[in-house]
Amino acid sequence: MAKNKIQFQKGLSLTEFLSQYGTEEQCREALFRMRWPRDFQCPKCGHSGYCELRDRKVYQCYKCHTQTSLIQGTIFASTKLPLRLWLMGIYLVTQAKDGISSLNLARTIGISANAALRMKHKLQQVMKNRDDCKTLHGLLLIDDAYWGGKKRDGKRGRGATGKVPLVAALSLSDKRHPLYLKLSHLSGFTLDEISAWSAKHLRPESHVISDGLNCFPAVTQNQCQHEPIVTSVGGKYDDRKVFQWLNTVIGNVKNSMHGTHHAISRRHLPRYLAEFCYRFNRRFQLHTMVDRLTYIALQTQPVPQRLLKLAEVRW
């Protein structure tokens, strides 16, 4: 039997990671190359000449004397943690198939639980910002999904108390294999909500396949083709297995998040969904994921604690 390409890919071993990012100096050199691939450039005047003030760990421009930190204006700004611990956190978050809880992260790299939670939320925000910039296109499956909900209160299904509505979208290849996933938290399944969501996340002319829920035709307002398919016929659900891949992925999302995290706050749920999607969408590039996320983190504006605490109620 042929081996699964994703399951048996090489990835980045812990030994290889430590050989590249095992010391603080290695991490600083790697981040310097990522931030200024063509040599240093002053953010104020653009001059390339500089000197390094080693006692303060900043770079001073020869021309305007502006002092610039390596992590200034990035997701790492104002951190008190060594960069080697940040890189180790990025390694653990990206290489684990089901992710890693903040408590396990704290124990593994030797920091406080609060510091690990801040690190994880900041990295999740980097992932979310990155994937929000990319739109799905081509052949797409979309469906409604739900997270959480109270048990034993007599209500079931879409109307159950406390359920968080999500829209799941999966793009397929020409051979109908899954490519890219997007999970978004909506305030509800209405025509206006789906229209606004599709305008942001779907490329025009995409072919969208959904079930018969009456809000999904709103994707046509953004020049997408819509094909509704009645999934429950004669007591059988999805007998043609149209939504098999999407249902499998949604099940994997829920199993992964329930298995890794004891509890997820409703206001932070979009970040956890984004973390799963980020790993899923780059599952063929496991060995480069550390470098890619580090590079994007250097391009991401700082997210202070007060912003991390804010509720994220929409996509």
Side-chain angles (χ1 to χ4, degrees):
M1 188 170 115
K3 290 184 177 180
N4 184 293
K5 270 195 313 184
I6 303 175
Q7 184 177 357
F8 287 91
Q9 64 179 301
K10 184 179 178 182
L12 182 66
S13 69
L14 181 58
T15 304
E16 291 174 317
F17 170 80
L18 291 176
S19 69
Q20 296 178 41
Y21 303 110
T23 67
E24 189 71 9
E25 191 59 33
Q26 284 178 310
C27 293
R28 288 188 63 85
E29 290 176 359
L31 265 62
F32 186 94
R33 291 193 302 269
M34 291 181 187
R35 185 165 187 182
W36 297 296
R38 298 180 182 178
D39 208 354
F40 176 83
Q41 190 174 29
C42 177
K44 185 174 181 179
C45 68
H47 190 65
S48 60
Y50 73 99
C51 64
E52 183 177 356
L53 307 182
R54 295 186 179 275
D55 57 333
R56 298 182 55 201
K57 296 183 180 180
V58 296
Y59 306 101
Q60 181 169 297
C61 175
Y62 280 147
K63 186 176 180 180
C64 67
H65 306 295
T66 297
Q67 294 181 354
T68 305
S69 166
L70 178 62
I71 59 176
Q72 176 183 327
T74 73
I75 200 69
F76 308 114
S78 302
T79 183
K80 293 180 174 61
L81 297 176
L83 290 176
R84 60 183 178 83
L85 295 186
W86 272 99
L87 269 294
M88 177 61 76
I90 290 175
Y91 173 79
L92 294 172
V93 167
T94 57
Q95 298 298 299
K97 179 180 178 182
D98 294 328
I100 182 171
S101 67
S102 61
L103 187 56
N104 196 6
L105 182 64
R107 291 168 177 163
T108 304
I109 65 179
I111 60 177
S112 70
N114 287 339
L117 185 60
R118 283 194 298 270
M119 175 187 288
K120 186 171 176 66
H121 279 179
K122 288 186 178 185
L123 294 178
Q124 288 174 333
Q125 192 63 47
V126 173
M127 296 173 173
K128 187 177 188 306
N129 291 351
R130 182 59 172 174
D131 273 5
D132 281 350
C133 295
K134 297 188 175 183
T135 56
L136 298 181
H137 63 278
L139 180 61
L140 308 175
L141 299 176
I142 65 172
D143 198 4
D144 58 318
Y146 300 85
W147 175 264
K150 295 182 179 180
K151 298 179 180 179
R152 302 187 183 91
D153 66 349
K155 296 181 181 179
R156 302 178 62 185
R158 290 188 175 114
T161 305
K163 280 188 177 291
V164 180
L166 311 172
V167 60
L170 183 69
S171 65
L172 302 179
S173 67
D174 295 337
K175 296 183 179 180
R176 302 237 168 177
H177 292 161
L179 291 176
Y180 301 105
L181 173 68
K182 192 173 289 291
L183 296 167
S184 303
H185 173 199
L186 302 181
S187 60
F189 287 98
T190 64
L191 291 171
D192 290 341
E193 193 78 358
I194 294 298
S195 176
W197 172 85
S198 62
K200 180 178 179 181
H201 296 295
L202 305 186
R203 194 175 301 176
E205 307 302 327
S206 296
H207 186 152
V208 179
I209 301 176
S210 74
D211 61 13
L213 197 62
N214 59 9
C215 63
F216 288 136
V219 299
T220 58
Q221 298 179 19
N222 299 294
Q223 291 78 52
C224 290
Q225 303 173 33
H226 179 237
E227 180 183 352
I229 294 179
V230 179
T231 56
S232 183
V233 179
K236 294 182 178 180
Y237 173 77
D238 198 16
D239 192 36
R240 295 161 54 188
K241 296 184 178 180
V242 176
F243 297 94
Q244 182 178 19
W245 275 120
L246 184 56
N247 291 332
T248 298
V249 171
I250 292 174
N252 289 342
V253 172
K254 293 183 178 181
N255 289 336
S256 171
M257 292 173 64
H258 279 302
T260 303
H261 309 285
H262 290 294
I264 296 176
S265 170
R266 177 172 180 153
R267 64 180 179 179
H268 296 308
L269 178 60
R271 292 195 184 105
Y272 286 87
L273 296 174
E275 179 188 354
F276 185 96
C277 290
Y278 187 91
R279 284 195 304 268
F280 180 88
N281 294 339
R282 292 156 184 83
R283 62 197 182 280
F284 292 108
Q285 295 89 31
L286 194 60
H287 62 291
T288 64
M289 209 181 296
V290 172
D291 287 345
R292 293 176 66 172
L293 184 57
T294 304
Y295 176 80
I296 298 303
L298 287 170
Q299 315 302 316
T300 304
Q301 292 296 311
V303 184
Q305 180 70 8
R306 60 182 177 82
L307 294 181
L308 287 177
K309 290 182 177 180
L310 292 179
E312 240 186 297
V313 295
R314 288 173 59 86
W315 32 263

